[in-house]
Amino acid sequence: MAMSSTPTTLPFEELAEAIKGRRSDYGHISGLQLDRFAPGEAWSSLPYRPVFVGDTETGVLHGGVVTAMLDESCGMAVQLALDGTRAIATLDLRIDYQKPATPGLDIKAHSVCYRTTRSIAFVRSTAYQESEDDPVATATACFMIGANRTNMLADRRMDARSIPTLEAPEDPDGPFARSPFARCLGIRLNDDGTLTMPFSPQIIGNPILPAIHGGMTGAFLETTAIVGVARELGTAAPPKPIGLTVNYLRSGRALDTFANVSIVKQGRRIVAFEARAWQDNANKPIATAFGHFMLRQAPGNDEE
C-alpha cells in the first residue's frame, strides 16, 4: 500500500506560506503574524492586547511578551533558511531591552538567520513599534537543527476551532494584581518564595511532543526574577529589566514548572541575578537565566 509523503523541499513561496500556517500553539493564540519573508529573514507583528500588559499603572507590555515574540520570530527566520521540515529548538536567547514598549501600539520584529551549520542556526532580531531604527529590544539566539523527529510541515497544527483565548482572571489582592500577563499564565507565588507556572494548552510551543514554548519559559523566568528581586530587596516598585540571557537545557514537558531566583551582585542602581526553572526534579533544571535589572530610584536620590 502506497503511503503519502510530504516533499522534503518546497519552492520558497510555498515554504513561507506553510510556515505562516504552522506557528506554535502560543504563536497562534497570541495573534503573531508572519507579514513578510525572504530566505533566512522574517518580518512579523504582534497586535497589542490588554492581556499583554505587565504593569497596569503604566500600561507597558510585560517583558515576557517581547521575549516570547522574539523567540518565535527568530524561529521563523531559521525555518526560512532551511527546508522547513526539520524541528528546531532554542538553545539560548539573549534579550537586551532598549526602552519600554509604547502602550496601545503593536510590536513588530525583523529576524535574520545569518548563519547555519549542520546542527546550529544563529539568529539576530530587532523588536520595534514605529521604526526598526528605534528598537524596543534586540536579541541574539542559537537554535538546534533537527532537535527531534517532528516534521514541521507534515505533522498536525492546532485546529483553529480549539484555540483557547488569552484571559487574565481578576485577582485584586494577589501578587500579580497589576500584571495581567502574569495572571494570564496562571503564575503563583508559593510560601517558600518559589513561583509556579501551571501547564496549560496556551503555553505549548510544539504540539506534537507536546513541549512548552521557549518564550513562555523565558517569560516565567523573567517574572520570577522581577518578583524575587523586589521581595529580597524590599522595594515597592518592580525593577526594570536591562538584559536577560536564557539557556535552554531540557525540553519543558506538559507539566507544571517551578522557578526561583538568587541575587548574584547588588549595586546602588544595578542588580545581577540568576534564575532557574525546573519541573519534576529541582536538580535537573529545564532552563536558567542570567540578567541585570535597574533599580527604580527613590525620590530625591541622584541616579548618577
Side-chain angles (χ1 to χ4, degrees), residues 14-162:
E14 292 183 29
L15 169 64
E17 290 300 322
I19 291 172
K20 269 189 178 183
R22 293 186 180 273
R23 299 278 19 91
S24 72
D25 282 9
Y26 171 76
H28 279 292
I29 296 167
S30 69
L32 180 67
Q33 297 291 327
L34 175 60
D35 300 323
R36 191 155 60 95
F37 47 82
E41 289 190 73
W43 288 263
S44 56
S45 60
L46 181 70
Y48 174 86
R49 293 186 184 184
V51 74
F52 291 151
V53 170
D55 187 342
T56 51
E57 287 197 3
T58 63
V60 172
L61 295 186
H62 192 290
V65 173
V66 179
T67 298
M69 180 194 186
L70 286 170
D71 179 49
E72 179 119 1
S73 297
C74 286
M76 287 192 283
V78 173
Q79 292 289 9
L80 289 164
L82 305 173
D83 62 13
T85 64
R86 287 172 286 178
I88 60 175
T90 317
L91 292 176
D92 63 57
L93 175 69
R94 176 180 172 83
I95 307 289
D96 290 305
Y97 295 103
Q98 312 291 322
K99 67 173 188 176
T102 301
L105 296 183
D106 296 351
I107 296 283
K108 302 173 185 178
H110 178 201
S111 302
V112 180
C113 179
Y114 59 91
R115 177 172 170 78
T116 60
T117 68
R118 185 174 181 178
S119 303
I120 306 296
F122 301 89
V123 197
R124 52 177 172 258
S125 185
T126 302
Y128 59 99
Q129 292 182 295
E130 297 182 309
S131 170
E132 190 172 344
D133 294 329
D134 186 21
V136 169
T138 55
T140 56
C142 292
F143 285 77
M144 178 186 292
I145 300 172
N148 54 66
R149 296 183 179 180
T150 303
N151 184 315
M152 300 302 288
L153 296 182
D155 291 331
R156 73 169 180 87
R157 63 175 176 174
M158 174 174 278
D159 185 340
R161 294 170 297 180
S162 66

